[in-house]
Amino acid sequence: MKLLTGNSNRPLADAIAKYLELPFTKAVVRRFADMEVFVEIQENVRGEDMFVIQSTSYPANDHLMELLIMVDALRRASARRITAVIPYFGYARQDRKVGPRTPISAKLVANLITEAGANRVLTVDLHAGQIQGFFDIPTDNLYAQPPLVKDIQDHLGGESLMVISPDVGGVVRARALAKRLGTDLAIVDKRRERAGESEVMNIIGDVSGRTCLLVDDIVDSGGTMCNAAEALLKNGAKAVYAYATHGVLSGGAVARIRDSKLKSLVITDSIQATEDVRNCPNIRRVSVAPLLGEAIRRISSESSVSSLFD
Ligand code: R5P
């Protein structure tokens, strides 16, 4: 097995390499003056089981292009098998036609990755599990729940917890967490009037006096989490904590979270944290590196990945 990384999330790639006690394959992934991506693999990879680590996070198109070109370079260098390790799969929210004459970009991106030469995909908390079906190659979708649950147990062990889905679409994910923690579940019935804005409507469930744990796959503008926190507190919640796998945190999200009613937001390192994120007093990060490292080890040795979650 050999590892290769792009430039999207070097700290996570380093942590995975450390877990696996493997050096990176020598390679150059850089830009020409006109910003074209150039990749050169500087050692023999013929017949190797290659794992290419790259989140397609901001700037999504540049990082996607790096991934595609790394995979192409490996294919042309006769790697035996190429697994695209995509801790955060960008474009996942564009998984259906939202209106007439709109694209299904998640499917297009899946096609591009496959066409470039990837033989497998390994990712974490896909926005919708069905996106696995966009790939006609084996796709492992890991759950970030184990490190998030550990953080909950370490920080909120003694509280009367209630898990909250911030929208109807996230109920399956929230129910799984509630089951794992042995707690109740409530749902925020959110209606989004315009793309990028969110509006809280009703709370389904009695949250009064409860310590609420909002759980979501992505926190982007932060609107969903912050608005949900306000609604929960208005409905009598004692305190609100938020957990999300992917900290996209675009635009003014960090300031919005900092100034919100959220006691804390916990995200994983699937996307590299900016300095603002690192310095935000109520944002904490947990790592998915051991989870990804172990999954890579198991894929390489052809052993079970699902048993990671037993
Ligand atoms: C939407 O369906 C996702 O699960 C998240 O709820 C959404 O992406 C969060 O976006 P924002 O932080 O911009 O409200």
Side-chain angles (χ1 to χ4, degrees):
M1 149 184 34
K2 284 194 173 195
L3 298 179
L4 181 65
T5 181
N7 293 307
S8 70
N9 194 342
R10 191 67 203 223
L12 174 63
D14 287 343
I16 294 171
K18 193 169 170 208
Y19 180 90
L20 291 167
E21 298 177 342
L22 272 181
F24 286 110
T25 301
K26 286 196 195 69
V28 169
V29 182
R30 66 176 174 87
R31 300 291 144 89
F32 287 140
D34 64 354
M35 297 307 281
E36 279 185 10
V37 174
F38 174 68
V39 173
E40 186 181 9
I41 315 287
Q42 294 174 320
E43 63 183 80
N44 180 31
V45 293
R46 197 176 286 273
E48 296 286 357
D49 189 13
M50 295 298 308
F51 291 84
V52 188
I53 304 168
Q54 178 82 329
S55 278
T56 49
S57 51
Y58 177 85
N61 300 334
D62 286 358
H63 288 153
L64 172 62
M65 207 61 205
E66 272 190 12
L67 173 64
L68 298 174
I69 294 177
M70 285 188 292
V71 170
D72 184 73
L74 288 170
R75 178 169 59 109
R76 291 174 195 282
S78 305
R80 177 172 53 85
R81 182 171 69 171
I82 304 165
T83 302
V85 181
I86 313 173
Y88 170 66
F89 182 74
Y91 280 99
R93 286 173 287 178
Q94 297 189 53
D95 58 354
R96 63 196 177 283
K97 286 187 74 165
V98 291
R101 298 172 296 283
T102 58
I104 305 180
S105 307
K107 171 62 179 154
L108 172 64
V109 170
N111 286 349
L112 289 170
I113 291 167
T114 310
E115 195 53 36
N119 305 109
R120 305 185 61 94
V121 168
L122 172 62
T123 186
V124 182
D125 278 350
L126 275 174
H127 176 60
Q130 306 89 291
I131 295 170
Q132 286 170 92
F134 288 4
F135 290 95
D136 282 331
I137 51 178
T139 302
D140 290 299
N141 179 28
L142 304 181
Y143 304 112
Q145 226 183 61
L148 296 178
V149 165
K150 181 169 186 316
D151 186 277
I152 294 166
Q153 286 163 344
D154 289 350
H155 289 87
L156 299 166
E159 300 279 336
S160 158
L161 299 175
M162 189 164 195
V163 173
I164 316 288
S165 175
D167 55 30
V168 176
V171 172
V172 172
R173 182 179 305 110
R175 189 182 292 126
L177 180 64
K179 193 173 165 206
R180 181 109 178 215
L181 295 171
T183 64
D184 300 325
L185 173 72
I187 300 161
V188 178
D189 176 28
K190 172 186 85 166
R191 205 154 300 163
R192 197 187 287 272
E193 298 296 335
R194 271 175 295 276
E197 285 179 21
S198 61
E199 193 181 352
V200 169
M201 304 300 285
N202 296 303
I203 311 284
I204 304 168
D206 181 7
V207 298
S208 53
R210 305 295 292 269
T211 298
C212 293
L213 289 183
L214 279 161
V215 58
D216 210 345
D217 58 330
I218 294 171
V219 53
D220 187 348
S221 68
T224 301
M225 291 293 203
C226 295
N227 292 347
E230 292 214 3
L232 291 165
L233 290 168
K234 267 191 204 130
N235 280 264
K238 186 174 147 201
V240 185
Y241 297 81
Y243 284 79
T245 306
H246 307 295
V248 173
L249 297 169
S250 56
V254 175
R256 189 170 294 120
I257 304 284
R258 190 190 52 224
D259 300 338
S260 74
K261 304 255 166 53
L262 287 171
K263 290 268 189 210
S264 65
L265 165 68
V266 177
I267 53 175
T268 77
D269 54 357
S270 66
I271 295 174
Q272 185 170 346
T274 60
E275 204 180 328
D276 271 2
V277 172
R278 287 197 301 272
N279 293 334
C280 185
N282 61 345
I283 298 182
R284 200 166 61 245
R285 286 172 297 136
V286 297
S287 185
V288 285
L291 198 63
L292 281 164
E294 189 52 35
I296 289 171
R297 192 200 304 281
R298 289 177 185 213
I299 289 169
S300 189
S301 63
E302 310 284 353
S303 45
S304 166
V305 171
S306 64
S307 59
L308 263 173
F309 304 98
D310 289 344

